[in-house]
Amino acid sequence: MDWINRIVEVGMTLALAVITLIVGLAVIKIIVNLLTKQVTKSKLDESLKPFIMSVISVGLKLILAISVVGILGIPTASFVAILGSFGLALGLAFQGSLANLAGGVLLLTMRPFKVGDYIEGAGYSGTVKAIQILYTELVTPDNKMIYVPNGNLSNSGIVNYSVHENRRVDLVFGVGYEVDNQHVLQTLQEIVLKHPKVLLDPEPFIRMSGHGDSAVEYTVRVWSKAEDYWDVHFDIMETVKTTFDDENISIPYPQMDIHTLEN
């Protein structure tokens, strides 16, 4: 009868472990949901919120796993040692993931960008939606979701277009050599000053900047609010073409003069 008692005892232990696991996962889910609501309402940086919740969820599940192992009668110390060895082997197998984890910690510590910033890095660009443990989520202007590994992002140059309130719009226009220089400068200045989104401080810069093979080059540099950058860029491009046509200011095609020697 001892073996029957043993089977019953083992069965009860397994049942208790299973019940603990199921109830524990349900409780963890409730705790994570409650904490998520509190963290969402808090004044923490938006970049930290998803990262903190991910760490809490993983930590609670690890504690639950150790508790279930203890119920099954496996020495916790031995389990921790096995877990450590397994973690070492897993770490060697997934070095890239560990690099992404370290990259995530570095990004949240150094904070080169935050949620809502428009950035460019690791060959991608978009608006930061979230910074997870292993990946940073970017939303492109055409509404594509990009998951960029944090390791790649932290080890590459990052351009943050949202740090400063103002941005400079740089444009270059080519004009025919026969056109009067002052006429071109005056026309460009009128176009720039009439645009409602061009800032007058710093003062717009308009100068002849080069003698090209087919045209004289004029550089226009104006400042605008960061959110108005592309409006100013495209508006000035379109207005310059229309105004140059009205003012008979030629925009020459690339050309090459060939001189031949007669015998």
Side-chain angles (χ1 to χ4, degrees), residues 3-21 67-68 70-73:
W3 62 273
I4 296 178
N5 293 332
R6 182 60 181 170
I7 291 175
V8 171
E9 183 180 349
V10 172
M12 292 181 64
T13 301
L14 289 174
L16 180 60
V18 171
I19 292 173
T20 301
L21 179 63
S67 300
V68 171
I71 293 174
L72 292 174

Side-chain angles (χ1 to χ4, degrees), residues 34-260:
L34 290 175
L35 289 177
T36 300
K37 292 179 180 179
Q38 295 299 319
V39 170
T40 302
K41 295 177 182 178
S42 68
K43 296 182 179 179
L44 287 173
D45 191 288
E46 292 295 329
S47 307
L48 291 172
K49 292 178 181 179
F51 186 83
I52 290 175
M53 294 314 305
S54 298
V55 172
I56 291 175
S57 178
V58 172
L60 290 175
K61 289 176 181 177
L62 183 60
I63 293 173
L64 176 61
I66 294 175
S67 300
V68 171
V69 167
I71 293 174
L72 292 174
I74 300 175
T76 305
S78 301
F79 174 74
V80 172
I82 294 173
L83 189 64
S85 301
F86 178 74
L88 178 60
L90 198 63
L92 294 175
F94 296 96
Q95 294 183 29
S97 296
L98 291 177
N100 291 335
L101 175 61
V105 174
L106 182 62
L107 291 175
L108 290 170
T109 302
M110 304 302 296
R111 298 181 63 186
F113 56 81
K114 62 182 184 299
V115 171
D117 286 353
Y118 188 89
I119 68 168
E120 180 180 331
Y124 302 97
S125 60
T127 301
V128 180
K129 182 180 180 182
I131 304 174
Q132 303 291 353
I133 293 180
L134 301 179
Y135 296 91
T136 292
E137 300 175 9
L138 299 181
V139 180
T140 63
D142 56 349
N143 207 32
K144 294 177 184 176
M145 180 69 76
I146 302 177
Y147 298 90
V148 185
N150 287 334
N152 295 348
L153 198 56
S154 63
N155 289 323
S156 65
I158 299 173
V159 180
N160 190 333
Y161 293 98
S162 302
V163 172
H164 299 296
E165 182 181 1
N166 299 333
R167 285 187 63 186
R168 193 180 74 184
V169 183
D170 292 355
L171 300 167
V172 177
F173 300 100
V175 174
Y177 273 93
E178 74 281 359
V179 182
D180 180 68
N181 176 57
Q182 292 302 318
H183 186 198
V184 177
L185 293 174
Q186 183 179 355
T187 302
L188 289 173
Q189 185 176 30
E190 290 176 356
I191 293 172
V192 166
L193 296 180
K194 286 181 180 178
H195 199 291
K197 294 182 179 180
V198 169
L199 302 178
L200 301 182
D201 185 19
E203 184 179 356
F205 175 90
I206 305 170
R207 294 293 299 271
M208 181 192 296
S209 58
H211 297 161
D213 294 333
S214 305
V216 179
E217 297 175 353
Y218 290 84
T219 295
V220 176
R221 295 173 181 167
V222 297
W223 289 85
S224 69
K225 297 292 184 183
E227 62 270 19
D228 297 330
Y229 177 88
W230 289 113
D231 288 339
V232 172
H233 180 278
F234 291 123
D235 287 350
I236 292 180
M237 290 286 290
E238 293 173 1
T239 306
V240 165
K241 176 61 172 70
T242 303
T243 306
F244 276 14
D245 289 344
D246 294 340
E247 296 290 330
N248 294 320
I249 298 175
S250 64
I251 302 177
Y253 297 100
Q255 61 185 4
M256 179 182 296
D257 294 333
I258 299 177
H259 302 274
T260 59

Side-chain angles (χ1 to χ4, degrees), residues 13-33:
T13 301
L14 289 174
L16 180 60
V18 171
I19 292 173
T20 301
L21 179 63
I22 295 173
V23 173
L25 290 175
V27 171
I28 288 174
K29 184 177 181 180
I30 294 173
I31 293 174
V32 170
N33 289 337

